[in-house]
Amino acid sequence: MRNLLFLSILTFLISSCTVVRQGEVGVKRKFGKLNTNISDAGLISYNPFTTTIIKVPVRTVNQEVKLNLPSKEGLTIESEISILYSIEKNKVPFILEDIGTNYERVLIMNVFRSAAADVTAQYMAKDMHSGMRGQIENQIKDRMHESLLERGFVIEKVLMKSIQLPIELSRAIERKLQAEQEAQQMQYVLDRERQEAERRRIEAEGTRNAQMILAEGLVREIIELRSIEAFRELANSPNTKIIITDGKTPYLINSQKD
């Protein structure tokens, strides 16, 4: 009998306690009425016959949504979007009282669908697949933030994870990107050819200037001196040689004056 009584008391004590984890808050509801006092993480005791504990996450929540979005030209774009949001802790009791525990489906998702459709309808379909995606995400987030902040919801980020464009539009964008890449490649080739032509021009100009300088420096006295030096080198050579001269210079040089 004593063991049975002990087990009954132990069972009652266990059933009258609950644990609120980190990132959550607990709100007591007694006889259907919410208590505005919030219980932070830890062990909470309560009367299970009269009271229930509602646990609400106040950490950042990631809600993923698949949605068909309209574009400015009237196309339907398949998308997968993540909504990162959190709840202000001090407004949790009022959220539960006004909306209930299904606040995500009742409020957040409806506001998101409306804001997303309004924003994407102002953009072309290709914009959602380009660098303007970040701008679209920020506009959706701002619209949701305006509608939900007073209700206790903080919209942190809206991320367009994937965008599925119509097949023909996707092919058109791919062809355009390919054409742009080919144009850039052609421009690179042309720039390289221009640089090479400029290099050859400068090289030819340098060679021409060097020849002009050399020609201007070859006066008759220098030519005769070089001829004598060459004659000496031939004379010191042990090989048999024949030298043609006019008696004045080692080589036949037109020494007549005009």
Side-chain angles (χ1 to χ4, degrees):
M1 186 67 178
R2 291 182 179 179
N3 291 336
L4 181 60
L5 179 61
F6 175 77
L7 289 175
S8 299
I9 295 173
L10 182 61
T11 302
F12 176 78
L13 290 175
I14 293 174
S15 63
S16 63
C17 294
T18 187
V19 175
V20 177
R21 295 180 174 82
Q22 291 291 333
E24 293 180 337
V25 294
V27 179
K28 292 182 178 181
R29 182 168 59 190
K30 185 176 182 180
F31 296 118
K33 185 177 180 180
L34 291 170
N35 192 331
T36 56
N37 294 327
I38 298 172
S39 300
D40 293 322
L43 184 65
I44 302 176
S45 61
Y46 65 100
N47 186 346
F49 298 106
T50 62
T51 307
T52 57
I53 303 296
I54 302 175
K55 301 176 185 179
V56 178
V58 292
R59 61 184 178 274
T60 299
V61 177
N62 177 22
Q63 176 64 34
E64 295 187 354
V65 186
K66 290 184 178 180
L67 188 65
N68 292 330
L69 298 173
S71 67
K72 189 175 183 179
E73 64 267 51
L75 298 176
T76 299
I77 311 301
E78 297 180 8
S79 64
E80 183 177 349
I81 302 176
S82 287
I83 307 169
L84 303 180
Y85 73 92
S86 58
I87 300 176
E88 295 182 17
K89 183 167 63 174
N90 59 336
K91 291 188 178 181
V92 169
F94 305 101
I95 292 174
L96 293 176
E97 184 176 356
D98 294 342
I99 307 171
T101 56
N102 292 328
Y103 52 83
E104 191 173 84
R105 178 179 58 84
V106 173
L107 184 62
I108 294 179
M109 295 308 303
N110 287 329
V111 171
F112 163 71
R113 289 188 176 92
S114 176
D118 289 344
V119 171
T120 57
Q122 302 174 16
Y123 290 87
M124 305 294 285
K126 62 182 180 62
D127 297 334
M128 304 180 202
H129 208 270
S130 66
M132 299 187 71
R133 178 184 295 190
Q135 181 177 334
I136 297 173
E137 293 172 344
N138 289 332
Q139 289 188 12
I140 297 175
K141 184 199 77 171
D142 293 341
R143 290 206 178 194
M144 294 183 66
H145 196 72
E146 291 174 1
S147 301
L148 297 174
L149 182 60
E150 293 183 356
R151 308 295 293 270
F153 299 95
V154 178
I155 306 301
E156 301 175 6
K157 281 284 186 180
V158 174
L159 304 174
M160 303 178 75
K161 298 172 60 177
S162 66
I163 297 294
Q164 186 66 39
L165 299 177
I167 296 177
E168 290 302 322
L169 181 58
S170 297
R171 291 175 179 174
I173 293 175
E174 291 176 359
R175 289 193 295 267
K176 180 181 178 181
L177 292 175
Q178 183 178 359
E180 291 177 352
Q181 292 176 355
E182 292 176 352
Q184 292 176 358
Q185 179 65 22
M186 182 59 66
Q187 184 63 41
Y188 168 78
V189 173
L190 292 175
D191 291 341
R192 186 181 61 184
E193 293 297 331
R194 291 191 188 98
Q195 293 175 358
E196 179 64 18
E198 181 67 14
R199 185 192 66 79
R200 292 177 180 176
R201 186 189 67 79
I202 294 174
E203 182 180 4
E205 184 176 344
T207 302
R208 184 192 62 185
N209 292 339
Q211 292 175 346
M212 291 176 62
I213 294 172
L214 181 63
E216 292 175 356
L218 290 178
V219 297
R220 183 169 186 79
E221 290 77 7
I222 294 178
I223 295 176
E224 291 179 353
L225 177 63
R226 298 298 185 192
S227 299
I228 293 171
E229 291 176 352
F231 177 74
R232 287 177 179 174
E233 292 180 359
L234 289 173
N236 293 329
S237 174
N239 298 328
T240 302
K241 74 260 326 153
I242 298 175
I243 300 174
I244 302 174
T245 180
D246 58 356
K248 297 179 179 180
T249 58
Y251 294 101
L252 286 176
I253 298 177
N254 185 9
S255 59
Q256 294 180 359
K257 297 182 180 180
D258 296 337

